[in-house]
Each structure stands twice: as C-alpha cells, then as structure tokens.
Amino acid sequence: MATTPTPAAAKSAAPPPRPVLRDPAFLRLWAGTTASGLATWALPFVLGLAVLHRELGAAGLGLVLAARTAGFLAAVAVGGVLADRHSRRAVVLWSALAAAAAAPLLAAGLGRSLVLMTAAAALAGAGQGACRPAFQALTAETVEPARRQQANAAMTMAVRGSTLAGPALTALLAAFLDVGALLLGIGALWLVAALVPGRGSAAASGEDLAAPPAPRPRTGFRREFLEGMREARRHPWFLAGLAALAAVITLGYSATSVALPLISRDRYGTEWVLAAAVTAYTVGALGGALVIARWRPRSPGRAAFAGLAAYGLAPLSLMLPVHPVVVVAAYAVAGIGIELFNVPWFTATQREVAPDKLARVSSLDFLVSYGLAPVGLALIAPAIDAFGVTAVLGACAAACFLVPAAAALVPTARHLGRPSPAPAD
C-alpha cells in the first residue's frame, strides 16, 4: 500500500529582532546617555540659581558658561580622534569622569573663586564634548543595523526628555538642597554616565555591527582628524546635510532664540508665549522621535530634509501677526521635523561611514551643531538692530526652507547614501 509522503518541513522564518529597549547592553548605554543629558541640561539651571542666591554674579555666569562651551568645542574633535584610536567605552569612561570631577570643583569655587569655577566649567565642557562622538560610535557597536534607527530614536528621546526633566527636577530639588549640593548631584549623574554603559563589542552576535577600532600605528591628532574630514567628503549627502544643518542653526535657531523673547513681550505682552513655544518644541521633538522610530519612508533623505526645513515655520510664525496658538503650533511642528531629520541622519552616518572613522565624522556633526549657535547669536542681534526683526526673520525663514531643499537634490541625498536593499522573499 502506498504511503503518503511526509511533507517537507517549511523553512522557519527568522525571528523578528528583539525590541531595542529589551536589550540589556543598549539599556545600559541609554541610561548612561540619559544621565549625561540630565547633567548637561541641569548645570546652567543650577548656576542660574547661584545667581539668584547671590553666590555668582551675572557676568560670572556668562564667563562660566562661555568656558564650558569653549571646553566642549575644544574637546569634541579630540574626542572623535581618541574614540577612533582607542576603545569607545574607555573614552566615554574617562571623559565622563572628567566631567564628574569638575562638579566638586565648581562647588568649591562657588562664592569664593571665579577663576576656579571657570576652569572647572571648561573641564566639564571638555568631558561633555569628548564623550559625544564616543557615545555615537558606541551605539553603532552595541546595536545591529536593523535596529539602529529605533536605537537612535530612543537616544534622542533621552536627550529631549532631559531638556524637560533636567530643569524641572533641579527646581524640585532646589527646595530642599543648596546650590553646592545640586552641583555634587550633577557630578553623580556624570559618574552614572561613566560607569553604567558596557562594552559595545559585547553585544556582537553574528550581526554586522560596526567594529571597534583596531590597534594601529599612532599619528598626529591633526592628521587623524583630517582623515575624518576626508571620509566625510566621500559622502555628498553628509556634506549637504551639514550645510543645511548649519543654515538652520546659524540663521533659524539663532534668530528665533533672540526674537521669541522680544515678540512674546512686545507683541503678546506675556511670557506665556515664550514658555509655551519652547515647551511645544521639545514635546514635538519627542513625538517626532516616536514616529521615526518605526516609520521607514521610501525616500528617507528627502523626508529628513523636509523635516529639517520645517524649522522655517518657527521664524515665519514670529514675523506674522498671528494668534499665539499659531506660534506654539509652529514650534511643535518644528520640533517634530527636527527629529525626522536627526534620527535618520545619525542612522545613515553609522551605516555609511567607515567604522574606524565614525567618531571623527560624528565629531564634525557636533562641531556644527554646537559651534555655530553662538556665532549665529552674535550676528543676529546686530542684524535685527540694523534691518529690523521682521526682515531678519523673513530672511532666516527663507534660508531654513531653501537650503535643505537644495541639499535634498544632491546625489545620494535621497537615501542618505546607498539605497537599502529590498527584503528577500
């Protein structure tokens, strides 16, 4: 009697990737990034409390914050070189420890030595700057390519959440603690950032993770940084994105930072518009990160540049006599758009850039992001005095719309690099 042949076993489908927030290695990295973000955003608020308590003068506050920015800009390029030369985890450790060591020095100088506080602020900025490109490269080491967009969205949510929670938590604690104790608490947050993240290579499990840098003959910092610049020039989409980001930060962000308080006071007669618009921007950014964590547009580059161009709505709303709700809504849309740009941008950089040059290329991004804002702020105020706030806002809004639109036309910009391969049947 004939027997019925046993059907061939169907090929088992590959299990879906585990959600990134259930990955212990990534959660440790995320916790460290969140702690560093809280420490970064809390410090200016705590120093502002020192001014209110007459432990620091207004001029001293400006000097201390300027020293922190200078330390950041000086260290971010060096940190990129070190993170490509050595273990990214080690660079995070030592840079965060440097920022942690600055906190008790700030507390010791409070009300006693402005020189000590200025030096400590520069050290804190240097620690913050050195760890930024290392964190970016460590994300690529920790998370496989299929989950990096989700991971970058979670990282940016930590940063945006810190902008809300940092000052709010500090204000709550200020009811019970003095400024010196709050500064020591900032140091404790930097200790968490230093000690909690694990080694990125420990997460490797056969996936195409970005390899940690291999030992290589040492050359000068200048030569290695220039190697990173040459790597960046190999990617037209990256240069176009930097140009668009520079225009939005130098013109759009700086113009709105100067104009929003003035218009909130003079046109609307209340500080509510200022507070609501800034809050709406951050909340919008959190919403944008949630959207882009799962959304995969067919043309990710064009969607990203459209999101960046959306910042032009903020200066546009300020130059028109609209209801304040329109201003708040424009800021919310601008916040959504900025993360529709940031998350794919970080993900593409981790995918396209040579792994041994990733931190150096990322440092260029942070140099533009953090370095051009003070330049724009220095230029916008005199421009408003010379041409009027409406003309300056109109020019800045036009730049925010036009420069990202032009960047989207650059070769390889449509997909932020090579197109992603179609999934196999």
Side-chain angles (χ1 to χ4, degrees):
M1 183 175 67
T3 58
T4 305
T6 304
K11 292 182 179 180
S12 58
R18 181 172 52 172
V20 72
L21 290 179
R22 295 176 59 186
D23 184 338
F26 175 75
L27 283 177
R28 292 177 64 183
L29 180 61
W30 183 87
T33 303
T34 302
S36 71
L38 286 170
T40 297
W41 289 102
L43 181 58
F45 191 85
V46 171
L47 294 175
L49 291 176
V51 174
L52 293 178
H53 295 169
R54 302 185 184 280
E55 296 173 290
L56 181 66
L61 173 63
L63 181 62
V64 169
L65 292 179
R68 185 178 78 146
T69 300
F72 178 93
L73 295 176
V76 68
V78 175
V81 172
L82 290 175
D84 281 340
R85 176 188 284 182
H86 304 290
S87 160
R88 277 81 183 253
R89 177 66 188 89
V91 173
V92 167
L93 172 66
W94 291 108
S95 58
L97 286 177
L105 295 177
L106 283 167
L110 190 65
R112 301 180 184 88
S113 173
L114 183 58
V115 173
L116 177 59
M117 290 193 72
T118 302
L123 177 62
Q128 178 193 348
C131 76
R132 285 300 108 195
F135 267 128
Q136 185 74 1
L138 195 57
T139 302
E141 288 185 18
T142 303
V143 182
E144 65 270 19
R147 298 191 299 165
R148 282 183 193 156
Q149 185 155 318
Q150 188 182 40
N152 287 316
M155 287 294 196
T156 198
M157 288 181 66
V159 172
R160 298 298 179 184
S162 298
T163 66
L164 290 176
L169 181 60
T170 303
L172 178 63
L173 293 175
F176 308 97
L177 303 172
D178 60 19
V179 174
L182 292 174
L183 288 171
L184 294 178
I186 290 174
L189 287 172
W190 277 113
L191 285 177
V192 172
L195 301 176
V196 169
R199 291 184 177 274
S201 58
S205 58
E207 298 285 350
D208 181 22
L209 296 179
R216 53 190 172 85
R218 293 189 180 184
T219 57
F221 273 92
R222 179 176 177 275
R223 180 174 177 181
E224 293 190 34
F225 184 72
L226 291 177
E227 286 179 1
M229 294 185 66
R230 283 193 292 271
E231 172 65 19
R233 288 200 298 268
R234 289 201 315 111
H235 307 281
W237 63 269
F238 184 84
L239 297 181
L242 273 187
L245 189 61
V248 170
I249 290 174
T250 308
L251 300 175
Y253 179 81
S254 299
T256 54
S257 297
V258 174
L260 178 60
L262 299 175
I263 290 173
S264 180
R265 180 196 65 192
D266 298 339
R267 181 187 298 167
Y268 301 108
T270 176
E271 297 177 353
W272 175 86
V273 178
L274 169 62
V278 173
T279 303
Y281 179 80
T282 303
V283 172
L286 287 168
L290 281 172
V291 170
I292 201 62
R294 294 190 175 276
W295 182 40
R296 300 295 186 270
R298 294 181 62 183
S299 299
R302 291 179 180 174
F305 285 118
L308 185 61
Y311 194 90
L313 295 174
L316 185 63
S317 71
L318 295 178
M319 64 179 292
L320 300 174
V322 297
H323 193 278
V325 172
V326 177
V327 176
V328 174
Y331 269 80
V333 173
I336 293 171
I338 203 69
E339 294 309 335
L340 296 184
F341 172 81
N342 278 339
V343 173
W345 170 262
F346 292 146
T347 305
T349 303
Q350 294 161 350
R351 181 187 68 238
E352 299 290 328
V353 171
D356 63 331
K357 299 179 179 66
L358 177 56
R360 280 170 284 178
V361 173
S362 296
S363 71
L364 295 175
D365 183 8
F366 291 114
L367 279 172
V368 169
S369 301
Y370 289 85
L372 291 181
V375 175
L377 291 171
L379 297 175
I380 290 296
I384 289 177
D385 292 337
F387 304 106
V389 65
T390 301
V392 170
L393 287 172
C396 292
C400 289
F401 291 134
L402 295 176
V403 178
L409 302 177
V410 169
T412 71
R414 178 177 179 180
H415 297 283
L416 296 178
R418 63 185 186 274
S420 299
D425 294 332

